[in-house]
Amino acid sequence: QVQLVESGGGLVQAGGSLRLSCAASGRTFSSYVMGWFRQAPGKEREFVAAITWSGGNTYYAASVKGRFTISRDNAKNTVYLQMNSLKPEDTAVYYCAARAAAFYSSDYKNYDYWGQGTQVTVSS
């Protein structure tokens, strides 16, 4: 069982930066693939980024590659999403998710645990 709590969302101007954090409880955090997803009003939940348990492999959606960076600190049971050069179209609720598997997936249906989400709003 893993419980996830996101923080770090807020309002930022276009071109600005935010860092999201996801604190996980559970002794097996290091064995989960961790992902970030987002959902804008009226849209489906979409993949943003994922990282394997060792942190050695990271994956990004094309829309955020080069601007966002996912990382994890297994000693702190925390995964991060550094978001730079933010655009108005990045506005959404951002969710942290955990997948009990060795390989990443970009399909939100393949993730087992979810946080409550944190709002990110980028103004133009």
Side-chain angles (χ1 to χ4, degrees), residues 37-61:
F37 290 78
R38 66 187 182 187
Q39 189 166 19
K43 294 189 175 181
E44 269 208 359
R45 191 165 299 192
E46 66 171 356
F47 171 75
V48 175
I51 187 167
T52 53
W53 70 271
S54 67
N57 293 298
T58 56
Y59 307 88
Y60 297 94

Side-chain angles (χ1 to χ4, degrees), residues 16-117:
S17 298
L18 282 174
R19 188 175 83 153
L20 305 183
S21 298
C22 174
S25 64
R27 291 178 292 179
T28 58
F29 171 76
S30 61
S31 64
Y32 287 82
V33 169
M34 300 301 296
W36 285 97
F37 290 78
R38 66 187 182 187
Q39 189 166 19
K43 294 189 175 181
E44 269 208 359
R45 191 165 299 192
E46 66 171 356
F47 171 75
V48 175
I51 187 167
T52 53
W53 70 271
S54 67
N57 293 298
T58 56
Y59 307 88
Y60 297 94
S63 58
V64 307
K65 197 168 186 178
R67 299 188 298 123
F68 291 10
T69 302
I70 188 171
S71 62
R72 68 190 293 166
D73 185 338
N74 288 339
K76 295 182 178 179
N77 282 6
T78 303
V79 63
Y80 305 97
L81 185 69
Q82 178 66 44
M83 306 186 294
N84 298 328
S85 303
L86 283 161
K87 305 175 181 179
E89 50 264 44
D90 294 319
T91 295
V93 177
Y94 283 70
Y95 296 92
C96 175
R99 170 171 157 80
F103 303 102
Y104 105 103
S105 172
S106 61
D107 188 340
Y108 71 89
K109 300 181 189 72
N110 291 331
Y111 284 74
D112 304 288
Y113 302 101
W114 292 86
Q116 82 289 349

